[in-house]
Amino acid sequence: QVQLVESGGGLVQPGGSLRLSCTASGSIVSINVMGWYRQAPGKERDLVAAITFSGITDYADSVKGRFSISRDNAKNTVYLQMNSLKPEDTAVYYCKAPQVVVPGGKDLLELWGQGTLVTVSS
């Protein structure tokens, strides 16, 4: 069974930094795109950043210049370095893999992690 497990959330003061990690475990052949989403109370879940297997990245306008996404393909792990955090960054952050190639040829689609809470407050 393939799972995505996030870690690294917590409480941080405005202007501070946090690094989130998400590791995919199980029998995996490859994962092309991995991404981070976030959902604040009462709001929809929105894309924060995404990265392809080859390292092409995409960011929401609200985090450009402050957040950086990276991945270690050998470890099936994606990271989100968050700097200059603002109170409006407070949300549950979710890792997503839209398509996971597994042995046997039946891909797993729309795989989500359980989420990790980031709170930015003084």
Side-chain angles (χ1 to χ4, degrees):
Q1 183 178 0
V2 177
Q3 291 183 321
L4 299 179
V5 179
E6 302 104 332
S7 62
L11 173 65
V12 63
Q13 292 187 342
S17 298
L18 277 177
R19 189 192 194 207
L20 306 182
S21 299
C22 170
T23 297
S25 62
S27 185
I28 297 168
V29 174
S30 66
I31 307 174
N32 184 18
V33 178
M34 298 187 78
W36 287 97
Y37 288 69
R38 67 185 180 187
Q39 187 168 21
K43 296 189 176 182
E44 294 185 351
R45 191 176 298 187
D46 294 322
L47 175 69
V48 176
I51 185 168
T52 68
F53 186 89
S54 61
I56 298 172
T57 59
D58 187 30
Y59 296 92
D61 288 342
S62 60
V63 306
K64 284 180 180 177
R66 301 189 297 124
F67 291 11
S68 178
I69 189 170
S70 60
R71 64 188 287 174
D72 184 332
N73 292 327
K75 297 180 179 179
N76 288 318
T77 298
V78 63
Y79 306 96
L80 185 68
Q81 178 66 43
M82 305 185 294
N83 299 326
S84 302
L85 282 161
K86 305 175 181 180
E88 51 263 43
D89 294 318
T90 295
V92 178
Y93 284 70
Y94 297 91
C95 177
K96 179 184 179 181
Q99 183 179 18
V100 179
V101 181
V102 298
K106 187 174 179 62
D107 298 349
L108 301 178
L109 302 178
E110 302 295 306
L111 199 62
W112 290 91
Q114 82 287 355
T116 184
L117 177 63
V118 172
T119 303
V120 184
S121 175
S122 55

